[in-house]
Amino acid sequence: MSQRWGRSSLRTSAKILRSWFGYCESRGWVRFGLSEAILLPRIYRHEGLPLGPTWDAVGRMLIKTNGDDSASIRDHAIILLLSVYGLRSGEVRRLHLGDIDWPNDRIRFVRSKSKRKDVTPLVTRPWVDQDNQLK
């Protein structure tokens, strides 16, 4: 069953088996300690949550923020930084215009967890066609 069931179902079944063998131990039908030998799979608190939005959802957000006003331009840039470069929110908040090396098409940022300074190429927009429409 472990190939077809999820961890939650396996955990529930293992707990039922533990309970049954605990009862059997109390009656002397099986060797003591057998119930504790049944291992329970670990269940993580947020394991059911998606890792992030799908690329279709990102594309829809990019279309909605493709305006000329300052808020749309800002939001569009933030979504691109989060989705294309995989930046964390704190890394985006710490960015300054001076972190973008326009002549060499590079962007610099400091990683939140490791404090490592990364320099990566500026990504062109391969996700849009010549009419600025999403591919």
Side-chain angles (χ1 to χ4, degrees):
M1 295 300 200
S2 66
Q3 301 300 319
R4 294 182 286 159
W5 288 5
R7 279 204 302 265
S8 295
S9 298
L10 288 171
R11 184 176 178 86
T12 300
S13 296
K15 286 172 82 172
I16 291 168
L17 285 172
R18 263 190 176 186
S19 177
W20 168 250
F21 282 112
Y23 172 76
C24 291
E25 286 172 9
S26 70
R27 306 285 285 174
W29 297 343
V30 296
R31 189 178 325 159
F32 184 76
L34 184 60
S35 64
E36 292 301 315
I38 298 173
L39 302 177
L40 300 177
R42 185 179 301 250
I43 304 294
Y44 299 98
R45 181 181 306 158
H46 301 295
E47 75 178 56
L49 295 176
L51 294 177
T54 64
W55 284 111
D56 287 338
V58 171
R60 286 192 302 273
M61 287 186 277
L62 289 171
I63 289 171
K64 288 186 178 186
T65 59
N66 201 13
D68 292 336
D69 60 297
S70 59
S72 292
I73 293 169
R74 178 204 61 209
D75 293 346
H76 195 81
I78 290 171
I79 292 168
L80 287 173
L81 289 166
L82 295 171
S83 61
V84 173
Y85 292 100
L87 297 183
R88 290 181 167 82
S89 62
E91 295 164 350
V92 172
R93 284 192 310 266
R94 285 191 299 274
L95 279 176
H96 296 280
L97 279 175
D99 294 327
I100 302 174
D101 181 5
W102 297 108
N104 297 314
D105 289 332
R106 301 242 180 242
I107 184 170
R108 294 179 299 271
F109 47 89
V110 177
R111 291 292 184 177
S112 294
K113 288 188 174 184
S114 65
K115 304 298 182 212
R116 186 182 75 223
K117 295 178 182 174
D118 278 349
V119 178
T120 62
L122 282 174
V123 175
T124 58
R125 296 168 32 136
W127 54 86
V128 294
D129 59 20
Q130 291 182 347
D131 297 326
N132 214 20
Q133 299 297 316
L134 286 176
K135 291 182 181 179

